[in-house]
Amino acid sequence: MLKSMLTRRNAILSAAVLMAAVGIARPAAAITPEEIKSKGKLVVGIQGDNPPWGFVTSAGKQDGLDADIATLYAKELGVPVEFVPLEVNNRIPALTTGRVDVLFATMAMLPERAKAVQFSQPYVANAIVLIAPKSMPIKTNADMANLTIGVAKGGAQDTQVTKNAPESATIRRFDGDAPSVQALVSGQVQALGGNIFYMDRVEKARPGEFENKLEFQKLYNGACTRLGEKEINASINTFIDKIKANGELKAIYDKWMKVPVPEFPASLDGISFSVN
């Protein structure tokens, strides 16, 4: 009888553990613009230390291109914005677990990511590059042989350097953009996989020593919501159309990018801009 009671108790405990695990794994419930208005704020996941995209000022204010765009979107909804600074590799988990409502977080639009999140239409262009000393002769992927190359773990630069570097290269992965840039300027690595705006930070730290050597991939960034969230995805796409047309996106580009707003593609292979 005791054995039977213990077996039953263990079964109940096992069921409870399973239910708890299912609860933890369950995706966050869909959120709509109306629900955001009702709760009174828009919670935005953003990068915390990656200028000009997203960074925290010395006064503790979140700033940058993504911050300006997210603030405009919150204004469109009629609510204040609350920023949650994130590292590269915890952006998608923060969204899918419901920690944030949306990502304006330098999210390169990649087919593998589109399996986990819903992208909006693109609102900014970027490129993944290799940065190295001007004195270092690097003109092809083969020239990366035997180099120690830093990347932000889990970012598009990690994917591209891993894909393109010869097997003899050593790839060192860092927890975010700022540590990978610091690794280059402090001599921990010989080269760095980054985006086209890393050079501004590298130049400030070590003027005149480095340059962009190779371009691996042209990218576009979009806002991200959870899969299946049709209403907020449509709302963000309408908002992006609006700021493209009324000049607000151009003003943000002029402020942070210092380049003209590019022509954006109408479609990207393997990525849907809207919920079907």
Side-chain angles (χ1 to χ4, degrees):
M1 183 174 180
L2 178 59
K3 182 178 180 181
S4 175
M5 290 175 65
L6 288 173
T7 300
R8 184 168 178 268
R9 180 174 179 271
N10 288 341
I12 292 170
L13 288 173
S14 296
V17 170
L18 178 61
M19 289 176 68
V22 170
I24 291 170
R26 186 172 59 245
I31 192 165
T32 67
E34 289 306 314
E35 288 170 336
I36 290 170
K37 293 175 185 178
S38 294
K39 74 175 182 177
K41 64 180 177 181
L42 174 70
V43 183
V44 173
I46 193 167
Q47 288 205 277
D49 194 8
N50 188 20
W53 310 99
F55 61 97
V56 179
T57 68
S58 58
K61 176 181 178 291
Q62 185 75 49
D63 211 350
L65 178 142
D66 279 333
D68 281 358
I69 290 177
T71 300
L72 278 180
Y73 180 56
K75 182 179 178 182
E76 185 78 6
L77 295 177
V79 296
V81 63
E82 177 183 305
F83 289 110
V84 177
L86 302 169
E87 294 290 353
V88 170
N89 58 353
N90 67 356
R91 291 173 297 179
I92 290 177
L95 176 66
T96 57
T97 60
R99 186 180 171 199
V100 301
D101 299 325
V102 60
L103 294 176
F104 286 93
T106 329
M107 289 297 293
M109 301 176 72
L110 303 171
E112 57 269 28
R113 285 182 177 167
K115 297 174 183 176
V117 297
Q118 175 62 55
F119 279 105
S120 69
Q121 62 171 300
Y123 62 84
V124 68
N126 197 358
I128 300 302
V129 299
L130 184 80
I131 301 167
K134 291 180 178 180
S135 59
M136 191 174 286
I138 301 175
K139 296 183 178 180
T140 68
N141 289 349
D143 294 331
M144 291 186 283
N146 301 312
L147 293 182
T148 299
I149 305 170
V151 295
K153 181 171 60 180
Q157 54 269 46
D158 186 350
T159 301
Q160 288 301 312
V161 170
T162 301
K163 175 182 175 182
N164 289 286
E167 289 186 7
S168 62
T170 299
I171 301 172
R172 293 191 60 189
R173 295 174 173 85
F174 297 87
D175 289 329
D177 299 280
S180 66
V181 171
Q182 181 59 32
L184 178 68
V185 300
S186 65
Q188 296 176 59
V189 298
Q190 295 168 284
L192 175 65
N195 63 51
I196 55 175
F197 298 101
Y198 271 35
M199 265 305 301
D200 181 59
R201 302 164 75 177
V202 173
E203 183 67 16
K204 287 176 181 176
R206 298 273 294 274
E209 294 185 38
F210 296 88
E211 64 185 1
N212 292 336
K213 294 288 189 177
L214 302 173
E215 182 176 301
F216 299 121
Q217 184 182 31
K218 290 188 181 296
L219 293 173
Y220 297 92
N221 294 354
C224 292
T225 50
R226 289 176 283 273
L227 294 173
E229 292 186 339
K230 187 170 185 176
E231 292 182 41
I232 192 168
N233 166 256
S235 170
I236 291 170
N237 281 332
T238 298
F239 160 73
I240 292 172
D241 280 334
K242 178 180 177 179
I243 63 173
K244 286 177 179 176
N246 68 11
E248 287 180 304
L249 182 60
K250 180 182 183 302
I252 292 171
Y253 247 82
D254 289 346
K255 176 181 177 181
W256 293 109
M257 301 305 188
K258 317 296 185 187
V259 296
V261 178
E263 290 292 327
F264 294 105
S267 63
L268 290 170
D269 288 344
I271 302 167
S272 174
F273 301 167
S274 59
V275 179
N276 296 323

